[in-house]
Amino acid sequence: MKVLKKQRNSRSCIICGLDNELGVKAPFYEMEDGTVVTVFSFRAEHQSYPGRAHGGMITCMLDELIGRVIWCYEPDKLAVTLDINVKFRKPVPYDEKLYGVGKITKNSSRAYVGEAMIKNADGVVLAEATATYFKLPAEKISDADMHEELDRFLPDDVTEINVP
């Protein structure tokens, strides 16, 4: 599937923060079908039991995927999670290539609902979530300069991603 745009990363986020030494540092891409996709790997620092990523990290990734989809449709909006329901289907490994996909299923002027999943290289769904987000202006989310926090961008040459 064709990549339309690479999204920016933040400085400190546990999932996308490029300056967070314990973070995943995941890249996110806006796709031609209106979804957001990431290709990433958890690391041993993100483990629960040996060989398995922690459920909290899995939930963080699913939350990040759905949270970013709004930028495909409303690039100047920010949103906060109102609720999230996660289903863990199979153990999620670390040190393996994983694929995440997020999409919006319902969108209104004040809120939206989305879905996300994490798959392995064989296309097996390992975890999935449904979540609701409330749209807010940046100044109501944090006193920090959000433009400064979200101003990390590492260009790459990814033009297509084939999610299994």
Side-chain angles (χ1 to χ4, degrees):
M1 191 174 357
K2 185 185 246 184
V3 172
L4 296 181
K5 177 183 174 184
K6 184 174 184 183
Q7 292 186 340
R8 295 184 180 275
N9 286 59
S10 77
R11 295 181 184 282
S12 304
C13 174
I14 191 70
I15 295 298
C16 75
L18 297 177
D19 297 343
N20 187 333
E21 67 182 52
L22 296 177
V24 178
K25 298 176 176 41
F28 292 89
Y29 303 90
E30 295 179 14
M31 308 304 288
E32 64 184 333
D33 67 351
T35 62
V36 168
V37 170
T38 184
V39 181
F40 71 100
S41 295
F42 287 120
R43 299 190 319 269
E45 294 87 353
H46 307 133
Q47 85 168 23
S48 171
Y49 295 110
R52 296 178 179 213
H54 193 283
M57 290 299 296
I58 296 163
T59 301
C60 285
M61 177 57 78
L62 294 165
D63 184 39
E64 185 81 9
L65 279 159
I66 304 168
R68 284 175 166 270
V69 181
I70 194 62
W71 294 340
C72 294
Y73 304 95
E74 301 175 54
D76 297 327
K77 295 283 185 182
L78 294 177
V80 294
T81 311
L82 291 174
D83 65 60
I84 188 165
N85 181 14
V86 178
K87 293 184 180 175
F88 302 97
R89 302 286 185 196
K90 304 256 184 206
V92 177
Y94 53 82
D95 293 332
E96 289 185 25
K97 184 187 274 189
L98 300 169
Y99 297 83
V101 180
K103 67 180 182 178
I104 289 180
T105 57
K106 183 179 176 184
N107 193 7
S108 70
S109 61
R110 294 176 39 126
Y112 70 97
V113 177
E115 298 173 347
M117 67 178 74
I118 296 172
K119 295 180 172 186
N120 66 14
D122 295 326
V124 176
V125 175
L126 305 176
E128 57 191 336
T130 302
T132 304
Y133 295 78
F134 187 63
K135 299 174 190 176
L136 286 172
E139 62 272 7
K140 293 210 175 189
I141 292 176
S142 173
D143 290 338
D145 181 346
M146 294 302 277
H147 295 291
E148 172 70 18
E149 177 63 24
L150 295 170
D151 194 28
R152 304 297 288 186
F153 189 75
L154 291 177
D156 59 36
D157 59 357
V158 176
T159 59
E160 290 187 0
I161 300 174
N162 295 315
V163 178

